[in-house]
Amino acid sequence: MAIGFPAYFAERRTFDLQQDELVAVVKAALAILGWSSEVLSGGEFLAAIPFSGWSWGEKLKVGILPGGVLQVESKCVYVGQWIDFGKNRSNVETFFAFVEHSIRQGVYQQPLSTVQQEAVAQSIQAAPKNKWAGLLFGGCLIGTLILATLIYFISAVIGLLTGYLYLPGRGHSGIVHGAWARIISVIILAIFAWILVWILRDRRKRRL
């Protein structure tokens, strides 16, 4: 389960293929998965993963590096989604599973067959009937988490400034006064600051 603003997951794997063969394999895997994609200026692939029960959608970026290396990153499209419930990791692992399947099938040696194209169409049509119920549940859950995060952050700021800390809870809420309110507020804000520093440090490492 990844945490970030937005949450993301990235992984590299090496394959014993030439660059043009990897391009064919990546195209085949994305086509079979049914994820719409485009080729960026640097030769990377950018795929759009639709809204699901646990996320408001993700972007999957695939880079083909020297030495047969595929670098894949899945990132939530909504910046405010700071937790992904493992969805980005699942996207990356699913993509690699289809890459390996495509390699075993030898799709890099020939274009997608009619049978494979029909398999893509069938997979798209085979969506579960309760899809919209799952989307609604997931959207409500994510929205609730974001709202709760904002409430605790605002409460901590107010508690630090005024000495009155409101702590919402399940079934009941409490108010802390005086020095303890400021101490707890500092702890809550310190947790938020630690998460922010961790995210910025992680992004800086990725750019290097």
Side-chain angles (χ1 to χ4, degrees):
M1 185 166 58
I3 297 176
F5 289 95
Y8 73 93
F9 179 81
E11 185 177 347
R12 287 185 180 185
R13 294 188 190 180
T14 304
F15 300 91
D16 188 18
L17 294 175
Q18 300 298 320
Q19 184 163 352
D20 58 338
E21 295 174 333
L22 280 176
V23 170
V25 168
V26 169
K27 288 181 178 178
L30 293 174
I32 295 172
L33 284 166
W35 295 344
S36 60
S37 62
E38 60 178 319
V39 181
L40 303 179
S41 57
E44 295 178 315
F45 290 83
L46 182 63
I49 301 174
F51 189 100
S52 67
W54 297 102
S55 171
W56 283 317
E58 299 85 36
K59 293 288 186 181
L60 186 90
K61 183 182 290 186
V62 182
I64 302 176
L65 306 179
V69 177
L70 283 184
Q71 177 172 300
V72 182
E73 178 188 86
S74 177
K75 180 185 295 184
C76 296
V77 296
Y78 179 55
V79 178
Q81 186 172 344
W82 58 274
I83 186 169
D84 66 355
F85 302 99
K87 185 64 169 56
N88 286 303
R89 185 186 187 113
S90 175
N91 292 338
V92 173
E93 291 179 347
T94 298
F95 173 77
F96 275 125
F98 276 86
V99 165
E100 293 171 356
H101 173 74
S102 299
I103 293 174
R104 289 193 299 268
Q105 296 297 317
V107 298
Y108 57 90
Q109 298 173 343
Q110 55 187 354
L112 286 177
S113 65
T114 304
V115 175
Q116 289 172 315
Q117 293 175 0
E118 290 177 355
V120 174
Q122 291 175 0
S123 66
I124 295 174
Q125 295 174 0
K129 295 181 180 180
N130 61 347
K131 173 183 177 181
W132 290 109
L135 295 180
L136 180 61
F137 172 77
C140 292
L141 180 60
I142 294 171
T144 301
L145 287 174
I146 293 174
L147 180 61
T149 302
L150 291 175
I151 290 175
Y152 272 94
F153 178 78
I154 295 172
S155 295
V157 172
I158 295 175
L160 181 62
L161 295 176
T162 65
Y164 288 88
L165 175 63
Y166 172 74
L167 294 174
R170 184 177 179 181
H172 65 280
S173 301
I175 298 178
V176 182
H177 305 274
W180 276 110
R182 289 190 166 90
I183 292 173
I184 296 174
S185 297
V186 168
I187 293 173
I188 294 174
L189 292 175
I191 293 173
F192 278 102
W194 178 83
I195 294 174
L196 181 60
V197 170
W198 176 79
I199 292 170
L200 294 175
R201 183 181 300 172
D202 185 67
R203 287 189 174 182
R204 184 178 180 182
K205 288 181 180 178
R206 291 169 55 205
R207 292 175 181 174
L208 296 177

